[in-house]
Amino acid sequence: MADNFKTLFRLYRQYAKMDLLWFLKDTRYFLIQLISDVVSGGCTIAGVCLLSIHFENFTGMTQNEILFMMGYSLFIDGIFMVFFIGNNTGMISRIIGRGQLDHIMIQPVPLWAELLAQGFSPVSGSPMLVFGIALTYYGAKKAVIPINLFMILLFLFFSICSIVIVMSFIYLLSCLAFYAPAAAEEIAGVGRDLFSTLKTYPLGNMRGIQKHLFLSAIPVGLCAWYPSMLLIKAGKYGAGAVFVPEALYLPAAAAIFSVITVFTFKKGMKHYEKSGCPRYSGFGHR
């Protein structure tokens, strides 16, 4: 296992080097992508922020707390961009549906290590992450949330839980591509868009089955609103507010989703070993 992790870090170094070389080779394209990410991030938060200005407390949160939640949301998007945007790692249904999983399986490294490493884009994927960090810091200051070592560690822990939920959900949907490669090739994009469009909306005043749905089966609320509320509560009432049953729900949900996804993915791999992908040919993946 230790050797596998050493291999993983070596792969990270190589993919980081390739990403940097791409940046140095085509700086103009990188700057265009940077501007696009900033505009995209700004548009993501604009709708909710404007609503919070005109309809005070319509979400059960203050304007500054919403700003902090938007920063957390963009930080999660930034993690996705840095670690999973390259080589369709975050869009695994494309790899499966196009028969390109064979390209990964023949590599002399474990499948999980290659999937974790090949999406690493620390240069081209960094603008959204930096934007998210800056907005989170600004929102925390405006919402009078203390910034100390405990809060930073708690923020990072919740962020890991949130990105695990996002990736688990996307990979779980993508398992359909094992059985219907043509129909489900782009289903990972549907899962990602679901989080991109819905996770930025606070669920504080939502009632009934819809709220429970967005905190369980379709866990968009667990990737911005719920962890942000826990962080705000921890900032106001101290560490004691964190060690309560509701604070344990986020890591528990991340663990459950990851276990279900691993089980389902392994089952899909067994089907893939027997059937392969009928769309692959010697002329390419189409």
Side-chain angles (χ1 to χ4, degrees):
M1 182 60 72
D3 291 338
N4 288 336
F5 280 106
K6 289 180 181 178
T7 301
L8 177 63
F9 286 115
R10 286 199 296 268
L11 288 171
Y12 274 139
R13 185 171 64 249
Q14 291 301 319
Y15 280 107
K17 181 180 178 180
M18 289 189 291
D19 193 44
L20 177 61
L21 290 174
W22 171 81
F23 162 67
L24 295 174
K25 181 180 179 181
D26 198 345
T27 308
R28 178 175 172 271
Y29 183 80
F30 174 78
L31 293 175
I32 293 173
Q33 179 177 312
L34 172 63
I35 295 172
S36 300
D37 285 344
V38 171
V39 172
S40 175
C43 293
T44 299
I45 67 174
V48 176
C49 287
L50 290 173
L51 283 174
S52 69
I53 292 173
H54 291 286
F55 301 97
E56 188 174 358
N57 289 327
F58 86 108
T59 59
M61 303 174 72
T62 66
Q63 295 176 21
N64 293 328
E65 289 173 347
I66 289 176
L67 198 62
F68 175 75
M69 187 191 74
M70 295 294 103
Y72 183 96
S73 173
L74 290 180
F75 184 75
I76 299 303
D77 288 339
I79 295 176
F80 182 89
M81 297 290 288
V82 168
F83 287 94
F84 304 107
I85 196 63
N87 295 303
N88 280 328
T89 302
M91 298 291 180
I92 189 68
S93 63
R94 293 177 179 173
I95 296 176
I96 300 170
R98 296 170 181 175
Q100 296 172 340
L101 197 59
D102 292 359
H103 302 170
I104 302 175
M105 294 172 64
I106 62 175
Q107 300 298 320
V109 294
L111 178 64
W112 63 267
E114 183 63 28
L115 286 175
L116 279 176
Q118 70 173 11
F120 190 49
S121 306
V123 179
S124 59
S126 61
M128 187 68 77
L129 183 65
V130 174
F131 189 22
I133 292 172
L135 186 60
T136 301
Y137 177 81
Y138 179 75
K141 285 293 187 181
K142 296 289 287 184
V144 197
I145 299 172
I147 301 175
N148 50 46
L149 181 59
F150 171 76
M151 289 299 296
I152 292 173
L153 292 176
L154 187 64
F155 176 85
L156 293 176
F157 175 69
F158 285 163
S159 299
I160 292 172
C161 292
S162 294
I163 195 64
V164 166
I165 290 172
V166 172
M167 295 307 300
S168 296
F169 189 83
I170 290 174
Y171 271 56
L172 189 60
L173 285 181
S174 298
C175 289
L176 292 172
F178 284 118
Y179 308 97
E185 178 186 331
E186 295 294 335
I187 199 169
V190 176
R192 185 190 175 194
D193 290 342
L194 187 67
F195 285 95
S196 299
T197 55
L198 294 180
K199 79 175 188 298
T200 54
Y201 286 89
L203 307 179
N205 288 339
M206 186 177 291
R207 297 289 183 269
I209 190 172
Q210 295 92 345
K211 185 175 183 178
H212 294 298
L213 182 65
F214 289 145
L215 293 175
S216 55
I218 306 176
V220 293
L222 298 178
C223 300
W225 174 77
Y226 192 80
S228 296
M229 291 300 296
L230 293 176
L231 289 165
I232 292 169
K233 184 181 291 186
K236 289 182 177 179
Y237 305 110
V242 179
F243 301 103
V244 293
E246 64 179 9
L248 299 177
Y249 180 71
L250 183 62
I256 291 171
F257 266 99
S258 59
V259 168
I260 294 174
T261 301
V262 169
F263 174 80
T264 308
F265 195 87
K266 285 184 176 180
K267 190 173 182 179
M269 284 293 295
K270 290 181 180 179
H271 177 81
Y272 189 84
E273 290 173 3
K274 297 177 181 178
S275 305
C277 180
R279 305 181 72 206
Y280 193 85
S281 70
F283 296 102
H285 61 260
R286 293 291 185 181

